[in-house]
Amino acid sequence: MSSTNPPATEMEPIPLRILTVLLAYEKMATDPRFVDHGLVVSSTADPGVLAAGEMLNPSFFSSCPRTIIRRSLHQFEQVNDAPSSIESTAMCKVSPNAGPEVKNLTVAQLDSIYYESLGHNGCYSSISLYQYFFQLCPPDQRISIQIKNEEPVIVDPSTRQIIEFGIMGPKPWTVVLKDPSPSTLLNGGKDGDAHAILGFPYPGSKFVNAVVDLSRMQYGEVGRGSFGEFYFMGSYEDYCDSTEKNICTQLQNRGTANYMNPSSDLVEEARLKGCTERIWERWQNRHKQGWCAHCGKGGKLLKCSGCRQSQTWYCCKEHQVAGWKLHKHTCEKGKH
């Protein structure tokens, strides 16, 4: 896919929040592991499935680290008639074979299961997404970082840093089962698992001021951002504090890098590149086609009635409510 870079005079900084939402949407909506799969069992709907799983495979369940204080289990199965287009996979789908407990899960609960399950082992592919996207950008493209309602800081994305941590003493433990080809995805299953995020120093600073973690919800609800986002974006200090409070007993800084080499999986890398090309195109067409500010989905959208100048849209009432904890700080209605 080719695209024409806009002239420098039209170069509008890309908000890091918008970029992160769109990256996550494209990445997860095209995840080949879950295309045409629906949720059939979940401990969110029925906590008893954990006890049943432990009875079936006691050695597996007893192998989790001793620091674990929260366990989850979600099972997906292939559904032949499940929609496979991107527009239909922005949120966890439910298998028709699921029981009433699963079918009665709320949109918010399904969203949490979606990000928790598809976020498995996703930090490095997320870093690749950012890298590929910034490679598409013209050299003078800038991003803007706004954590809450402060004045946005304009940052050169080339100054970014990859920060790698060791998750010491993990607290949440999630098992994701997939049929028909049995496979098990495990989050929090090993003490010292590596986890990487992206950091940005502000102009004139020698240190990382803001960080973004697109895949922190692989650790479940406790991985949400400060305003209920499905990602974390905030200061380095707040990231470390909240992670050590909710996700692990110690966040071990293992170093930084300016670039991460692509994986050897050429098919996966091609998919990630395709995601970034679509996002660049969506950004270029932002004045014609919007997206949900909460999840990144396009199509038929609801506009925030309080915003007159800025374009803030949502794909459903549930996401508008979920996004309000963040949006209320910048909604134009609250500024008058």
Side-chain angles (χ1 to χ4, degrees):
M1 181 183 295
S2 62
S3 58
T4 303
N5 295 335
T9 55
E10 300 179 11
M11 202 67 64
E12 177 184 342
I14 303 173
L16 184 59
R17 283 197 183 276
I18 288 178
L19 176 59
T20 299
V21 167
L22 294 179
L23 286 173
Y25 175 78
E26 294 289 346
K27 175 178 181 286
M28 295 187 178
T30 61
D31 190 331
R33 301 174 301 174
F34 289 88
V35 170
D36 294 343
H37 277 67
L39 181 70
V40 66
V41 172
S42 173
S43 60
T44 303
D46 179 11
V49 302
L50 283 167
E54 190 166 5
M55 289 182 63
L56 290 173
N57 195 341
S59 61
F60 175 76
F61 277 78
S62 64
S63 67
C64 68
R66 296 181 179 179
T67 51
I68 296 298
I69 59 176
R70 171 191 170 273
R71 298 192 299 176
S72 301
L73 186 150
H74 311 301
Q75 183 174 354
F76 293 78
E77 66 176 8
Q78 189 169 13
V79 182
N80 293 330
D81 59 352
S84 59
S85 68
I86 291 177
E87 292 299 326
S88 68
T89 55
M91 185 175 61
C92 181
K93 299 302 175 183
V94 175
S95 168
N97 299 320
E101 297 87 357
V102 172
K103 291 181 178 179
N104 289 331
L105 289 171
T106 66
V107 170
Q109 289 173 319
L110 287 171
D111 280 354
S112 294
I113 294 170
Y114 179 81
Y115 292 115
E116 183 176 8
S117 301
L118 276 73
H120 167 75
N121 201 26
C123 63
Y124 292 103
S125 59
S126 298
I127 297 295
S128 290
L129 277 175
Y130 285 105
Q131 287 188 165
Y132 285 139
F133 182 82
F134 291 137
Q135 288 171 7
L136 285 176
C137 295
D140 52 353
Q141 178 69 63
R142 298 294 182 263
I143 60 172
S144 63
I145 300 178
Q146 184 181 38
I147 307 301
K148 189 177 178 181
N149 57 356
E150 75 282 5
E151 191 69 23
V153 179
I154 308 303
V155 175
D156 181 352
S158 68
T159 63
R160 66 188 182 275
Q161 295 182 26
I162 302 166
I163 309 170
E164 187 174 69
F165 296 101
I167 304 295
M168 313 304 294
K171 297 178 181 180
W173 187 75
T174 301
V175 180
V176 181
L177 305 175
K178 283 180 66 267
D179 294 327
S181 299
S183 61
T184 302
L185 309 178
L186 186 60
N187 297 331
K190 182 181 177 183
D191 189 27
D193 269 349
H195 190 78
I197 64 174
L198 209 59
F200 298 89
Y202 288 167
S205 174
K206 296 181 180 179
F207 306 99
V208 167
N209 300 99
V211 301
V212 61
D213 184 351
L214 190 152
S215 64
R216 199 169 78 153
M217 267 201 75
Q218 68 176 293
Y219 301 109
E221 277 291 308
V222 294
R224 286 189 180 274
S226 303
F227 305 100
E229 317 95 301
F230 62 82
Y231 59 91
F232 180 94
M233 186 175 128
S235 71
Y236 176 84
E237 293 76 13
D238 285 348
Y239 178 83
C240 293
D241 289 345
S242 63
T243 302
E244 290 187 336
K245 177 182 178 181
N246 300 311
I247 294 174
C248 63
T249 58
Q250 181 186 2
L251 193 61
Q252 183 184 74
N253 191 319
R254 293 179 174 173
T256 62
N258 296 321
Y259 179 77
M260 184 184 73
N261 291 323
S263 75
S264 58
D265 188 340
L266 300 182
V267 174
E268 173 66 2
E269 293 301 310
R271 181 180 77 89
L272 297 178
K273 287 181 179 179
C275 289
T276 60
E277 290 170 354
R278 287 191 297 273
I279 295 165
W280 177 251
E281 186 173 308
R282 293 181 75 181
W283 173 252
Q284 297 304 308
N285 295 325
R286 61 192 178 280
H287 300 302
K288 299 178 181 178
Q289 299 176 343
W291 49 74
C292 177
H294 184 69
C295 74
K297 184 179 181 179
K300 188 177 181 180
L301 301 170
L302 306 170
K303 188 178 185 300
C304 172
S305 60
C307 292
R308 302 295 182 182
Q309 299 298 322
S310 63
Q311 300 293 307
T312 303
W313 305 85
Y314 296 94
C315 65
C316 60
K317 286 289 186 180
E318 290 85 355
H319 281 190
Q320 187 171 20
V321 171
W324 179 245
K325 189 176 181 181
L326 172 64
H327 182 57
K328 67 182 180 180
H329 299 292
T330 55
C331 181
E332 294 174 16
K333 183 178 182 180
K335 296 180 179 179
H336 301 300

